[in-house]
Amino acid sequence: MGVVDKTFSGGGREYLSEKHIKKMFLDFLQMKEFAKNPLVFEKGEGVWIWDVMGEKYLDGISGVWVVNVGHGNKRIIGAMKEQMDKLCFCSPIYSTNPKAIELVKMLTDLTPEDLNSVKLLSGGSEATETAMKLARQYHQQCGHPNKQKIISRYLNFHGVTLGALSATGMADRKWMFEPLCGGFRHILPPYCLRCPYKMAYPECDIVCARVLEDVIKYEGADTVAAFIAEPIQLSTGNIIPPPEYFPIIREICDRNEVLLIYDEIITGFGRTGELWGAQTFNAVPDILCVGKGMSSGYAPLSAVAFREKIGQAFWGDAKEGVHFAHGHTYAGNPVASAAGVAAISELLENNLIQRSKEMGSYLVGRLEELKRFGIVGEVRGKGLMIGVEFVKDEKTMESFPREKNVGVKIGENCMFKQKLLVRYNPNWIALAPPFIITKEEIDILVEKLATAIKETLEEIN
Ligand SMILES: Cc1ncc(COP(=O)(O)O)c(C=O)c1O
């Protein structure tokens, strides 16, 4: 009998039993392992979340970089309830609703430069997929039908639908679905700590950015539609590019009429301490993909925002039959839009983006103290988007062998013993608490992580 069965056999909550959990498939999870000790959450407040056993966890990762304003936000819940009383659904295939219009207005007031056309959607993969289809059709509309290839980067994650996965550069997420879509190419990403070109910054002259121009040239500029990138490579341990990287990429895209797409599903809405990663890295894209923090997780919500010239290309007369040939049933859903309007208002009116910056630097400072354990090689962060890389040797920065799974052991200790939610990998863990976190709560978080590191070291040494 599993943990959940013990408490909930009887009492009207039998559905929580292991028997029923075994019928579920969760994301990327080995379900047999999960079912042995399932995490089943039922309540959240601020940075805290409780499981069905009444155990309290510190949400050190905002769900998964989602719940930026914290759990249990009454304003967002109230806005959603109000909308639900009026209208829960209308179809974007022939109509829209006031909340969706309000949300689009809000977004276009916030997006940089002339990114003032918006397509509302429901999830991150939908957004990146939409951005790439938009880029392809845009070039068709503009008389360049061969500009269809998408270039992206190894180690970047753009989602799981077939197009988004084709752009994703992580073999372990893809190999079982190969061959994927045609017309996708990858370049090596920036990663100064372990430069894939074996060079050192700044003498490298940012070769990782400049190589894009070579690849476009060898592919043929008239065959390349877009370049897509995560401003901070999250899924590979919070890799922050050198400051010159995106300005150089921007110039290369301009010279070659290649659209620049930012996947800001995570970096958007203040996670990096600025509203957009685009501001953090001094280069504005042509298409901006946002999701996760857009509704702070209160409803499935995402969007792509794009430049005037792209919007114009689809704004023909009826007789020309020009339209973006793409859509989703739940795009611009009234309740999700109400959640988005309320979540973004909460973020802006309470200065939470500034808070993400301030609490982020406090958290980074506290995490630096963990170098005393001798295995914390690098603490990388922008705002409240932080990665901690573990190394075998702090001086040479040599990694632990992957099979030692040090990061996984620390991560699992955090999750299951310290009750601190984090994301982890064999060599790093990621932290991204809600922006409302206080210094006292950060101290608790660091204490929990320190205990997890200490106990893991005792276990492996
Ligand atoms: C950078 C990035 N892009 C896209 C996605 C896909 O988003 P979703 O899971 O909402 O489809 C994710 C998900 O974590 C992500 O981190």
Side-chain angles (χ1 to χ4, degrees):
M1 208 158 72
V3 188
V4 174
D5 293 279
K6 281 181 206 141
T7 309
F8 292 104
S9 46
R13 304 232 289 177
E14 291 81 1
Y15 63 90
L16 287 171
S17 74
E18 197 177 318
K19 186 172 91 199
H20 292 288
I21 286 169
K22 276 183 177 162
K23 294 177 183 164
M24 299 180 85
F25 275 81
L26 299 177
D27 295 11
F28 304 109
L29 271 180
Q30 215 290 317
M31 288 310 294
K32 197 169 174 183
E33 275 306 299
F34 177 84
K36 284 184 199 158
N37 189 17
L39 271 180
V40 185
F41 290 119
E42 69 172 351
K43 192 178 89 173
E45 191 65 52
V47 300
W48 301 95
I49 180 162
W50 285 261
D51 69 14
V52 286
M53 313 290 288
E55 287 276 10
K56 182 179 174 186
Y57 294 69
L58 176 51
D59 188 352
I61 196 71
S62 298
V64 263
W65 298 272
V66 172
V67 191
N68 292 358
V69 305
H71 296 277
N73 184 290
K74 298 283 177 291
R75 175 191 197 153
I76 306 175
I77 296 165
M80 291 175 76
K81 283 182 179 163
E82 200 178 307
Q83 181 58 44
M84 285 167 106
D85 283 338
K86 288 187 192 153
L87 178 72
C88 287
F89 182 81
C90 69
S91 172
I93 207 157
Y94 57 80
S95 69
T96 187
N97 61 86
K99 274 295 167 198
I101 298 171
E102 191 181 345
L103 179 58
V104 167
K105 181 192 174 310
M106 198 172 211
L107 274 176
T108 53
D109 287 346
L110 296 173
T111 46
E113 296 185 359
D114 66 338
L115 276 79
N116 52 24
S117 297
V118 170
K119 178 144 189 60
L120 295 175
L121 299 149
S122 307
S125 307
E126 267 185 23
T128 53
E129 191 90 23
T130 300
M132 293 185 286
K133 287 180 74 178
L134 185 71
R136 285 183 165 185
Q137 198 189 331
Y138 164 75
H139 289 298
Q140 298 256 350
Q141 304 288 140
C142 297
H144 304 288
N146 296 331
K147 274 179 103 57
Q148 291 290 295
K149 286 179 194 156
I150 308 286
I151 303 178
S152 60
R153 304 181 303 181
Y154 290 109
L155 298 183
N156 279 228
F157 181 68
H158 297 299
V160 296
T161 50
L162 286 175
L165 194 61
S166 304
T168 289
M170 299 162 75
D172 58 345
R173 289 269 186 264
K174 299 170 66 163
W175 63 264
M176 54 298 267
F177 307 109
E178 303 274 4
L180 287 161
C181 305
F184 285 80
R185 304 286 185 272
H186 294 80
I187 61 171
L188 292 166
Y191 186 4
C192 292
L193 178 61
R194 306 188 189 287
C195 175
Y197 293 95
K198 310 274 181 286
M199 298 181 91
Y201 174 81
E203 295 77 41
C204 61
D205 196 28
I206 328 296
V207 62
C208 53
R210 299 195 191 281
V211 75
L212 175 63
E213 191 135 38
D214 296 330
V215 173
I216 292 174
K217 188 174 108 194
Y218 292 123
E219 290 293 335
D222 57 351
T223 70
V224 180
F227 176 69
I228 181 167
E230 289 175 78
I232 294 179
Q233 283 160 214
L234 196 278
S235 304
T236 32
N238 235 66
I239 312 294
I240 299 170
E244 301 88 341
Y245 183 85
F246 277 109
I248 294 172
I249 293 282
R250 178 68 272 179
E251 281 173 28
I252 294 170
C253 287
D254 286 342
R255 268 200 296 279
N256 292 282
E257 287 181 48
V258 166
L259 296 177
L260 175 57
I261 305 173
Y262 278 179
D263 177 347
E264 294 221 31
I265 302 300
I266 287 179
T267 54
F269 295 103
R271 188 41 74 188
T272 65
E274 310 271 1
L275 183 56
W276 312 115
Q279 289 160 283
T280 310
F281 295 107
N282 285 318
V284 174
D286 300 302
I287 306 177
L288 179 68
C289 305
V290 291
K292 297 204 190 251
M294 187 174 173
S295 73
S296 254
Y298 286 76
L301 186 64
S302 68
V304 290
F306 41 99
R307 284 193 189 274
E308 183 84 32
K309 66 174 183 186
I310 304 175
Q312 282 302 318
F314 292 90
W315 195 253
D317 288 329
K319 62 178 178 332
E320 293 161 14
V322 178
H323 66 278
F324 181 31
H326 180 75
H328 289 278
T329 300
Y330 292 109
N333 172 273
V335 183
S337 299
V341 169
I344 298 168
S345 305
E346 188 72 356
L347 201 66
L348 299 177
E349 288 168 24
N350 296 326
N351 256 331
L352 292 183
I353 298 175
Q354 180 59 21
R355 199 181 162 91
S356 157
K357 193 180 244 166
E358 287 166 11
M359 291 301 125
S361 51
Y362 180 71
L363 177 52
V364 167
R366 292 288 340 262
L367 291 169
E368 289 284 346
E369 294 169 24
L370 301 184
K371 289 192 169 161
R372 68 177 184 273
F373 287 107
I375 60 162
V376 172
E378 192 171 73
V379 178
R380 323 179 254 266
K382 287 264 183 218
L384 274 170
M385 187 170 172
I386 296 164
V388 179
E389 182 160 335
F390 301 109
V391 291
K392 190 172 153 205
D393 185 327
E394 280 174 297
K395 293 198 183 64
T396 61
M397 297 297 261
E398 184 190 341
S399 302
F400 280 106
R402 229 182 133 76
E403 60 282 6
K404 264 211 145 184
N405 262 336
V406 174
V408 171
K409 288 190 172 114
I410 294 172
E412 286 179 353
N413 187 304
C414 284
M415 301 276 287
F416 299 106
K417 287 184 80 181
Q418 313 311 322
K419 314 286 179 206
L420 167 66
L421 302 186
V422 298
R423 290 296 290 158
Y424 50 87
N425 160 288
N427 289 314
W428 51 263
I429 62 160
L431 293 162
F435 305 167
I436 53 161
I437 193 165
T438 62
K439 286 189 174 169
E440 293 70 34
E441 287 164 336
I442 287 178
D443 292 341
I444 298 172
L445 184 157
V446 175
E447 203 45 50
K448 284 175 182 284
L449 178 56
T451 311
I453 295 175
K454 186 170 145 287
E455 290 184 5
T456 304
L457 282 174
E458 283 162 9
E459 183 192 327
I460 62 174
N461 284 330

